[in-house]
Each structure stands twice: as C-alpha cells, then as structure tokens.
Amino acid sequence: MNQEILRKAKSIIQQRKMLNEVKYEERIKSLLNDPRYEELQKEIIRIEIESSRLSVYDKKNQKKSEQLRNRQQYLKKETKLMKKKYGVEDVYPTYSCPICKDEGFVNGKRCKCFNREVSNQIFMQSGFEKLEDFEKAKKTCGDLAPVYNLMQKWCKSDFKKNLIYIAGPTGVGKTYLIRAMANELINRGLIVKIETAFQIDLDFREFTLNFNVEKINKYLEPEILFIDDLGTEPLFKNITLEYFYLIINERKMRKLPTVITSNLNMSDLLERYEERIFSRIADRETSINIYLDGDDIRLKKRK
C-alpha cells in the first residue's frame, strides 16, 4: 500500500475528529469556562493515573483503591450536576464514524471508515472520472453478464492472468466494464491508474526528448494499470512500439496487472504492433483476451 495514501487518509480522519471535537466544545463552552469544571476534570485525570499506578505497583492496597473509587464516583456525580446546571447533560460529541469515534482504528485494526477514505484517495489519483458497481451493472448488461462475472472474479483473484485485453467497437460497453473493474480493485485497496494510449505515447516521446524518468515510471509503478483506447495513438518511429513493449513486458515480468481496451481485434493488433507486443498480449498462460461485439449501446440509449 502506498504510504502517502495511508498518511493522507489518516490525516483526513484526524481532521474530522478535531472538527467534531471543536463543535462539541463550542456547544458546552459555558461549562468549559467554569473554573470548578476544570478543577473536576483535572482531579478525575489525577485519580485515573493513581488508580493505574496502584493496579501495577501496589495491587494489595485495597483500602487505597477503595478510596480512589469512591472519590472517582463523587467527582462523576459532581460533573453530572454541573452539566445539568448548564443544560448540557445530554450533549455528547458526535462523530462521523460511530464505530471508531473518528480514530480510524478499532482494536488495532483499520476501521471501515479508514478503508473508505483510502479508497477515496486511490480513486482521486487514479484518473478515472467515475466508477460503476458490478452488481448494478450485471442487472442491466444482458448478454454481457458472463463477461462481467469473469472480470469481477478476476478482480478478486491473485492475478495469475496479469494482462486483460478488452476489444470491440465503440459503444459496446468497454468503458463501463473497466469502471466496474476499477471500483472493485480500489475497494480492495489496490492502487489503480488509467491513461489513454494517446497520452502515454506523448509521454514516451517526451521521455526521449528530455529523459525524464518519471514519464516512464508512472506507468511501471501502479499496482493495476489501465491503458485505454490502444490503437488511437500516433505511431512515432522508434518510440511507440519500443516503449509500449517496454511497459507491457516489464509489468508482466513483475506480475503487475495491466488492463488494455482497444477497438482492434487480434489480427489488427498483430498488424499494427507486430509480433513482440502481440505475443505478450495474446499469451494464453498469462493473459485474458475478450472481444465485445454488438450494436452501439450508447446510441441505443439516446433513442
């Protein structure tokens, strides 16, 4: 997991906690301004510390422990009376997450709210404009249901097949499918990134001019890389084929999944990208090739 994403998620949850506590303190401001209340709170803390010390170093001192318990009960009653005096006896802190009270962790494990924030951060950095839900998609995808089931299963797998090639004409549902895949992967906490083949090709060209390594590394580092619309990019001599092969082959060698969408069928893919790239995509042991065929779904929706 990217440590920067974890730090960002933790920071956001801490900010929520602080904001909620500030709101709570504002509601009981009059109580907090009473010197007697401040004295009570200091005394309660002192008693708690003393009780903890006794439980560790002087467990047999029952008389002292009893005195502390009695004093603690008295202080709590006094605190309750003061809250009633100021009309805030039923005012409590409210938290965005009632499970962890905006701590982000429960019993040492990440809370659901923390995982949701991690997913939000991954999505914001992924390049996807929106995501789709597999379960909702499968209810309306008709004949594509087997494909959606296969891809959902792959998203939950250990990625022994680490390259997915999804081809088909415009409008058959490729974009919707990869949005559902990205959603499933992000919910697993995996770092995903999508970029068009056109933009990736421009970055390749920029790299050859300025040797900015980041232009290449940003496609080698994501846990899941989505390359959208392969085949729409210009073919720069000694650049396009060489660097697309580098990205695809290197990610395969490192067992980092790559998902590619394209309008090109397998024969067109071979003709455009030649044997080296074609063989890496078509390899049945490590790849899944899907061809979606049918009428233009988006065109149907417009009617």
Side-chain angles (χ1 to χ4, degrees):
M1 170 59 68
N2 185 296
Q3 292 302 311
E4 182 59 33
I5 286 177
L6 291 176
R7 282 193 292 270
K8 181 68 173 176
K10 184 177 180 180
S11 174
I12 289 173
I13 289 175
Q14 288 175 337
Q15 288 173 23
R16 284 185 196 145
K17 180 179 176 65
M18 183 174 65
L19 180 61
N20 287 326
E21 288 178 346
V22 168
K23 289 179 179 178
Y24 169 66
E25 290 177 2
E26 185 63 29
R27 294 176 68 190
I28 63 169
K29 188 176 180 179
S30 57
L31 175 67
L32 295 176
N33 288 336
D34 190 315
R36 174 59 180 157
Y37 180 77
E38 184 178 357
E39 290 174 8
L40 285 171
Q41 298 314 298
K42 286 181 179 179
E43 180 69 2
I44 288 172
I45 292 172
R46 189 192 69 77
I47 295 292
E48 288 176 348
I49 293 173
E50 182 66 12
S51 296
S52 298
R53 189 192 68 78
L54 276 176
S55 67
V56 175
Y57 299 109
D58 198 2
K59 295 180 180 178
K60 295 181 179 180
N61 196 337
Q62 299 296 327
K63 184 177 180 181
K64 181 67 172 177
S65 295
E66 175 115 15
Q67 289 175 344
L68 289 173
R69 279 196 298 272
N70 290 337
R71 180 63 178 167
Q72 194 173 44
Q73 288 175 2
Y74 168 76
L75 293 171
K76 287 182 177 178
K77 287 179 181 178
E78 284 289 297
T79 299
K80 188 174 181 180
L81 288 172
M82 286 204 70
K83 287 184 175 181
K84 188 174 182 180
K85 172 185 173 182
Y86 286 98
V88 294
E89 67 270 31
D90 294 323
V91 177
Y92 300 96
T94 56
Y95 298 100
S96 303
C97 178
I99 299 173
C100 70
K101 294 181 171 55
D102 293 342
E103 293 289 342
F105 292 83
V106 179
N107 298 325
K109 296 182 179 180
R110 292 198 324 220
C111 182
K112 290 179 180 179
C113 70
F114 190 100
N115 289 332
R116 280 196 300 271
E117 193 52 52
V118 168
S119 296
N120 288 339
Q121 293 302 314
I122 295 172
F123 168 63
M124 289 170 63
Q125 298 180 31
S126 70
F128 279 90
E129 294 182 359
K130 63 180 296 189
L131 300 173
E132 306 293 348
D133 181 77
F134 260 120
E135 298 308 319
K136 290 181 180 178
K138 287 191 290 186
K139 292 177 182 178
T140 58
C141 65
D143 293 341
L144 292 182
V147 174
Y148 275 80
N149 286 327
L150 176 63
M151 288 297 92
Q152 186 176 31
K153 183 178 179 181
W154 178 82
C155 289
K156 296 178 179 179
S157 74
D158 57 1
F159 308 124
K160 289 181 180 179
K161 303 273 190 176
N162 54 35
L163 191 144
I164 308 296
Y165 183 74
I166 304 171
T170 300
V172 294
K174 300 190 297 293
T175 299
Y176 199 98
L177 176 58
I178 63 172
R179 285 175 180 170
M181 292 171 67
N183 190 28
E184 194 81 27
L185 295 164
I186 288 172
N187 285 335
R188 283 184 61 179
L190 297 172
I191 307 298
V192 309
K193 179 175 180 59
I194 187 171
E195 191 56 85
T196 64
F198 187 91
Q199 181 58 54
I200 295 174
D201 199 26
L202 294 182
D203 284 337
F204 291 161
R205 190 180 186 188
E206 180 71 17
F207 172 74
T208 62
L209 294 174
N210 300 315
F211 295 101
N212 181 352
V213 178
E214 177 57 28
K215 293 292 182 180
I216 297 293
N217 284 345
K218 66 181 180 179
Y219 302 118
L220 294 174
E221 293 172 352
E223 291 175 292
I224 316 286
L225 174 66
F226 287 79
I227 301 175
D228 197 24
D229 278 339
L230 187 71
T232 59
E233 75 286 352
L235 292 177
F236 297 126
K237 186 177 181 181
N238 298 325
I239 296 177
T240 304
L241 299 186
E242 284 74 6
Y243 286 103
F244 265 121
Y245 176 77
L246 168 69
I247 297 298
I248 292 171
N249 187 62
E250 182 68 16
R251 291 185 62 82
K252 264 188 171 284
M253 296 295 290
R254 292 165 59 184
K255 295 181 171 54
L256 292 173
T258 306
V259 180
I260 301 172
T261 69
S262 177
N263 289 351
L264 303 176
N265 61 34
M266 297 309 284
S267 60
D268 293 333
L269 182 72
L270 175 59
E271 182 178 348
R272 180 178 172 87
Y273 294 100
E274 302 176 354
E275 180 63 32
R276 285 198 310 164
I277 292 177
F278 175 80
S279 65
R280 304 308 282 154
I281 294 175
D283 179 10
R284 292 187 177 183
E285 288 189 12
T286 58
S287 302
I288 297 175
N289 299 151
I290 297 170
Y291 190 83
L292 305 180
D293 198 2
D295 297 330
D296 192 317
I297 293 172
R298 286 176 295 183
L299 186 61
K300 282 185 176 180
K301 288 181 179 179
R302 286 196 291 264
K303 289 183 179 179

